[in-house]
């Protein structure tokens, strides 16, 4: 998979990137009695969260959603501590309003047409532009920012990072249900998200200048206001000097979130090491990577992904072992070996999507009605969202 390029001039010398970490998570708010999504957020809830979290919490497009974001963190351990505090605080405030917090990318039985939009000018503009497509976005995700201070480096590593985005998606799936139906997909969120424009795998760019010209064309013609309206699976952040990974479902357990974040930052550091040695990860056509993206969306970790270097489908556990081995030096340097190797534990016990389907089937087998079984799934998600949260 790794292809040396000795005939290419070496990349210019630069200081090693900071590889700082920032994580954003979006949660669902459910009524404690009905287990359904709330339609309208309590007026005082966001204000209470903002007072406690000092700018680290924001509303989302729909009133049944809320988003948190860590500070800029030097290590995965620091990011975990901050995210644990954020989850715990929002959950506590929600509970005081008769609500519960759910970290899952879809709600088992919510109906998208019943949800109310947050009253905010930015969201009004988005709804006007995207109409019915954006109204269906009763989905939550997580975003991981990694500090890369050099513009050219961000583009180069974005091009190479695309290859393993399906691997990361498979490891954190949490959206098997949609409007009361078992979809048969591990990440139905991706199906909903892909209806939006400027989503999916990023384009390949030869330079930061080429990327900037692409953004300039869209902004100059009035198609988008700025680069924040480009919602690729990984993108150079417009607001921060980071490369932002956006493909993942939100993980129900915090420990799984940290595993994916650790794999992402460790993989980026590995790619940077290759660049310093005048090597790079081999590029493959976008359509090849899109096929793996679909397999991850459909099967999660249950089926293999295509290894295009070998020309065969490889079982997911074997692929993860290869990833762990390739970035072991980097995980150690970044102090996140335990988080990276936690991927093995996820494979053993499954992702949130597995737990949800198993809980639903067990409830049906025990005689529950379809609606009762789906409410049981919500109860499980509420409990697991707070797993190991103080």
């Amino acid at each position: 998979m790794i292809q040396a390029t000795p005939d290419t001039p070496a990349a210019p010398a630069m200081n090693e990137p900071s590889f700082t970490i920032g994580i954003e998570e979006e949660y669902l708010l459910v009524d404690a009695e009905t287990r359904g999504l709330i339609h309208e957020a309590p007026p005082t809830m966001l204000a209470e969260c903002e007072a406690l979290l000092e700018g680290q919490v924001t509303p989302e497009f729909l009133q049944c959603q809320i988003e948190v974001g860590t500070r800029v963190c030097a290590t995965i351990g620091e990011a975990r501590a901050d995210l644990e505090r954020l989850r715990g605080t929002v959950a506590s405030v929600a509970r005081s309003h008769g609500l519960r917090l759910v970290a899952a990318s879809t709600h088992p039985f919510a109906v998208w047409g019943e949800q109310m939009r947050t009253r905010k000018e930015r969201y009004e503009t988005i709804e006007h532009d995207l109409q019915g497509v954006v109204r269906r976005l009763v989905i939550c995700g997580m975003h991981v920012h990694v500090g890369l201070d050099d513009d050219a480096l961000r583009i180069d590593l974005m091009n190479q990072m695309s290859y393993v985005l399906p691997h990361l998606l498979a490891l954190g799936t949490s959206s098997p249900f949609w409007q009361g139906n078992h979809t048969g997909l591990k990440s139905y969120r991706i199906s909903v998200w892909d209806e939006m424009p400027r989503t999916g795998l990023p384009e390949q760019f030869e330079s930061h200048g080429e990327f900037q010209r692409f953004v300039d064309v869209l902004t100059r013609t009035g198609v988008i206001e700025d680069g924040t309206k480009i919602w690729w699976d990984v993108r150079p952040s417009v607001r921060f000097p980071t490369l932002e990974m956006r493909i993942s479902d939100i993980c129900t357990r915090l420990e799984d979130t940290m595993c994916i974040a650790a794999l992402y930052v460790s993989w980026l550091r590995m790619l940077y090491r290759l660049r310093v040695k005048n090597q790079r990860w081999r590029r493959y056509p976008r359509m090849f990577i899109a096929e793996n993206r679909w397999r991850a969306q459909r099967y999660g970790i249950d089926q293999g992904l295509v290894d295009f270097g070998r020309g065969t489908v490889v079982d997911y556990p074997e692929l993860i072992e290869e990833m762990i081995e390739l970035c072991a030096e980097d995980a150690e340097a970044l102090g996140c070996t335990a988080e990276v190797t936690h991927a093995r534990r996820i494979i053993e016990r499954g992702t949130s999507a597995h737990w949800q389907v198993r809980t639903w089937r067990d409830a049906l087998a025990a005689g529950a009605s379809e609606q009762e079984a789906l409410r049981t799934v919500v109860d499980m998600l509420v409990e697991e969202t707070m797993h190991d949260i103080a």
Side-chain angles (χ1 to χ4, degrees), residues 61 117 123-131 134-135:
F61 179 74
R117 176 179 52 76
Y123 297 144
E124 290 176 2
T125 301
I126 290 175
E127 184 177 33
H128 178 268
D129 290 345
L130 301 179
Q131 295 292 306
V134 77
R135 295 186 196 112

Side-chain angles (χ1 to χ4, degrees), residues 108-161:
F109 60 86
V111 177
W112 67 264
E114 297 176 353
Q115 308 311 313
M116 295 177 61
R117 176 179 52 76
T118 298
R119 300 176 187 90
K120 191 175 180 180
E121 184 176 355
R122 172 180 169 81
Y123 297 144
E124 290 176 2
T125 301
I126 290 175
E127 184 177 33
H128 178 268
D129 290 345
L130 301 179
Q131 295 292 306
V133 170
V134 77
R135 295 186 196 112
R136 293 187 73 235
L137 287 189
V138 192
I139 57 174
C140 294
M142 76 175 210
H143 309 154
V144 182
H145 291 258
V146 169
L148 301 171
D149 301 326
D150 183 81
D151 290 341
L153 181 64
R154 282 198 296 278
I155 298 301
D156 185 29
L157 297 194
M158 179 179 75
N159 290 338
Q160 298 179 65
M161 189 71 209

Side-chain angles (χ1 to χ4, degrees), residues 303-319:
Q303 297 287 330
L305 302 178
V306 181
D307 184 318
F308 297 108
R310 293 188 237 177
T312 186
V313 174
V314 177
D315 289 344
Y316 188 83
E318 182 178 341
L319 293 173

Side-chain angles (χ1 to χ4, degrees), residues 205-220:
F205 297 97
E206 296 303 320
S207 67
H208 181 264
E210 184 183 12
F211 166 73
Q212 193 58 55
R213 286 191 293 274
F214 169 83
V215 176
D216 289 345
V217 167
L218 295 182
T219 55
R220 188 169 59 249

Side-chain angles (χ1 to χ4, degrees), residues 218-265:
L218 295 182
T219 55
R220 188 169 59 249
T221 56
V223 173
I224 59 175
E225 297 169 5
D226 54 49
T228 63
K229 299 291 180 67
I230 296 171
W231 296 299
W232 293 328
D233 294 338
V234 61
R235 69 178 182 182
S237 174
V238 173
R239 296 180 297 159
F240 312 111
T242 65
L243 190 62
E244 179 188 7
M245 188 274 291
R246 305 168 51 86
I247 196 171
S248 292
D249 281 7
I250 183 172
C251 296
T252 301
R253 282 194 178 183
L254 181 62
E255 61 190 10
D256 295 359
T257 296
M258 303 318 302
C259 173
I260 292 173
L263 270 171
Y264 177 55
V265 66

Side-chain angles (χ1 to χ4, degrees), residues 136 185 187-196 294 297:
R136 293 187 73 235
L185 277 64
S187 176
Y188 192 75
R189 163 186 158 268
I190 292 290
S191 298
V192 178
W193 183 243
D194 281 352
E195 293 184 356
M196 297 272 286
W294 159 248
Q297 175 187 353

Side-chain angles (χ1 to χ4, degrees), residues 103-104 171-176 250-253 256 349-357 380-381:
L171 199 60
T173 54
S174 68
S175 50
I250 183 172
C251 296
T252 301
R253 282 194 178 183
D256 295 359
R349 53 116 162 110
T351 67
S352 174
H354 292 91
W355 312 339
Q356 291 180 52
V357 173
M380 181 275 294
L381 288 170

